[in-house]
Amino acid sequence: MPENSSSSRLQLSGLCFLLQILTIILFSAFVRYGPESSSGPCSPQLNCSWRNQDLDSRQPRFRDVHLQALLGFGLLVAFLSRYGLGSVAISILLVAFAIQWAVLIQGFLYSFWNGKIYVGAQSMVNADFCTAAVLISTGAVLGRVNPIQMLLLTLLGVTLFTLNEYILLRVMGVSDSGGSLTVHTFGAYFGLTVSRILHQLHVHKTKKQEDTGHQPDFFTVFGTIYLWIFWPSFTSATTVDAKTEPWALLNTYFSLAASTMATFVLLPVLHEESSLWMVQIQDAALANAAMMGMAGEMMVTPFGALIAGFLAGLIPPLGFRFLMPILHSRLKTQDTCGVHNVHGLPGILGGFLGTLLTALATADAYGDRLELVFPLVAQGSRTASDQAFYQLCALPTTLLFATLGGCLTG
């Protein structure tokens, strides 16, 4: 065991060294700061639409989204008794590599001009969204794979996430600013497919590795508070204009409140314990985020946000009670953090909600915001029904990328 442990540490050290040297070389060859980072004139070859947004308004978005990736997700994985804060350390390692790799892969697809990748504040926000999807995926295999495998999962996960996102957002013209499909659904089912491929017959060993023991809940408390504070900024971080940002913020806050209430409705009925667990409130917040990701910047209305949030809050308690045993026993898929209940199912329902709201979109209801949320509809290239059809097709496309990519990665 000591020899194997020493060998694993050396392998991790070597892999980190190679990956960092690779990214340094690629950055030196391709990555440059974009026009938004300079006060000079904008080159006609570059896409200068970035300057339509105020730089000062984007920097807080990057800060909030980055805090969410580091702390909001990081503190939520500290419950395994065998790993504890080690899980947080691995999460930070994955964030450190995923951001660099995402800037490169996304840059080649989105901002590659004249042989260079031009990056700015919005590039970092997009990279953090990609990182969030990878962290969701690792939640399905947490405690079952080593850090080396986690890095390889990140390497492939970032690449597949970016390809799926590019097809949905650029090729199909889908609106998914908060990532119901691109972040939550893809991340959940990519990780679950990897977990299924890695399934071992000796399940008792896996259960021992996944034992949560009696870790204190204060990590979950802090993680949940960060979700409440920063998730509205996460949902609105990729909105293209400040006019649509208030909708995303308010819709997320209203639905967060309703999802928490839903948790307190079900837990006393489903569990005999007299005290309610903080982790259940955390799950409700995450499920709400997945539900409202696509619909956040749409005309949900305040009461609609409350309804959507309440439904999202019902999913995790019911899923952990009734679906998790089926997932383990019949589908032979371990799900350490319950990403199927917290991200997968709410993300799918969020896709259906976004499709419904798209079909109901009218110029009278949206006003000048229609061009910001559904530009192709505003331009007359598509009807609302056509756009809704593309929104609906985005779901099987994401599931296909996630499952096939998960099989390859596993």
Side-chain angles (χ1 to χ4, degrees):
M1 287 301 292
E3 290 81 2
N4 292 336
S5 177
S6 176
S7 175
S8 298
R9 289 197 299 269
L10 291 176
Q11 289 175 3
L12 176 61
S13 175
L15 180 60
C16 289
F17 177 79
L18 290 176
L19 291 176
Q20 188 59 72
I21 293 299
L22 173 63
T23 54
I24 288 174
I25 294 173
L26 292 174
F27 265 64
S28 66
F30 296 108
V31 179
R32 300 292 183 270
Y33 289 123
E36 63 173 1
S37 304
S38 171
S39 58
C42 182
S43 171
Q45 286 79 23
L46 299 180
N47 180 1
C48 297
S49 61
W50 285 329
R51 288 194 173 178
N52 295 332
Q53 305 180 49
D54 180 36
L55 179 60
D56 293 335
S57 70
R58 286 196 305 276
Q59 288 173 340
R61 294 184 186 184
F62 161 62
R63 177 198 62 206
D64 293 349
V65 173
H66 198 56
L67 279 172
Q68 184 69 276
L70 280 172
L71 295 175
F73 282 103
L75 291 175
L76 301 181
V77 298
F79 61 90
L80 292 179
S81 60
R82 289 191 60 191
Y83 302 91
L85 291 178
S87 299
V88 183
I90 296 302
S91 295
I92 295 175
L93 169 64
L94 299 184
V95 170
F97 172 63
I99 287 178
Q100 299 177 64
W101 192 242
V103 166
L104 287 167
I105 301 300
Q106 292 177 333
F108 282 122
L109 288 178
Y110 291 107
S111 56
F112 190 66
W113 297 288
N114 296 329
K116 302 297 180 183
I117 297 171
Y118 292 90
V119 299
Q122 192 62 37
S123 304
M124 299 304 295
V125 171
N126 295 335
D128 274 322
F129 265 65
C130 181
T131 301
V134 171
L135 292 176
I136 291 170
S137 300
T138 59
V141 297
L142 188 66
R144 304 178 60 219
V145 296
N146 59 42
I148 297 173
Q149 293 169 317
M150 286 282 200
L151 283 172
L152 295 177
L153 184 149
T154 302
L155 182 72
L156 291 172
V158 166
T159 305
L160 293 166
F161 166 90
T162 305
L163 290 175
N164 178 67
E165 181 190 53
Y166 182 82
I167 290 175
L168 263 59
L169 303 187
R170 289 295 179 90
V171 177
M172 299 175 63
V174 171
S175 176
D176 188 20
S177 64
S180 282
L181 298 181
T182 55
V183 176
H184 296 278
T185 302
F186 175 86
Y189 290 102
F190 176 75
L192 288 170
T193 306
V194 173
S195 178
R196 177 62 185 87
I197 299 298
L198 296 179
H199 174 71
Q200 300 174 2
L201 295 178
H202 302 290
V203 182
H204 62 280
K205 294 182 180 179
T206 302
K207 289 182 177 179
K208 182 179 179 181
Q209 290 177 325
E210 294 176 354
D211 178 32
T212 60
H214 299 283
Q215 289 290 91
D217 279 343
F218 62 83
F219 294 124
T220 305
V221 172
F222 285 123
T224 304
I225 291 173
Y226 270 100
L227 290 175
W228 264 83
I229 295 174
F230 294 112
W231 202 275
S233 295
F234 188 97
T235 304
S236 63
T238 60
T239 53
V240 296
D241 192 274
K243 292 181 179 180
T244 58
E245 186 175 1
W247 282 7
L249 289 171
L250 293 173
N251 287 334
T252 305
Y253 270 121
F254 286 139
S255 55
L256 267 173
S259 65
T260 302
M261 293 293 292
T263 299
F264 282 83
V265 169
L266 276 184
L267 283 183
V269 177
L270 296 178
H271 298 277
E272 298 179 356
E273 293 84 351
S274 58
S275 61
L276 295 173
W277 298 337
M278 192 69 191
V279 69
Q280 310 298 336
I281 303 175
Q282 159 209 301
D283 292 341
L286 289 169
N288 161 76
M291 172 77 85
M292 293 302 297
M294 178 181 288
E297 64 176 354
M298 300 179 186
M299 179 64 80
V300 181
T301 71
F303 77 89
L306 292 177
I307 294 174
F310 188 80
L311 293 176
L314 297 176
I315 296 173
L318 293 173
F320 280 106
R321 182 64 182 270
F322 299 109
L323 295 181
M324 186 71 81
I326 297 176
L327 195 68
H328 286 184
S329 61
R330 297 186 181 181
L331 300 181
K332 309 301 182 184
T333 303
Q334 302 297 119
D335 186 5
T336 309
C337 295
V339 297
H340 180 250
N341 307 317
V342 176
H343 298 280
L345 287 178
I348 290 175
L349 293 179
F352 287 132
L353 175 62
T355 300
L356 174 62
L357 294 173
T358 302
L360 299 175
T362 62
D364 292 337
Y366 281 79
D368 58 355
R369 299 186 186 191
L370 184 66
E371 186 176 1
L372 302 174
V373 181
F374 304 114
L376 296 177
V377 176
Q379 296 165 10
S381 302
R382 293 178 183 173
T383 65
S385 299
D386 294 335
Q387 183 66 36
F389 174 75
Y390 280 96
Q391 299 283 135
L392 184 62
C393 290
L395 175 58
T397 303
T398 298
L399 292 175
L400 181 64
F401 262 91
T403 53
L404 292 181
C407 288
L408 172 65
T409 304

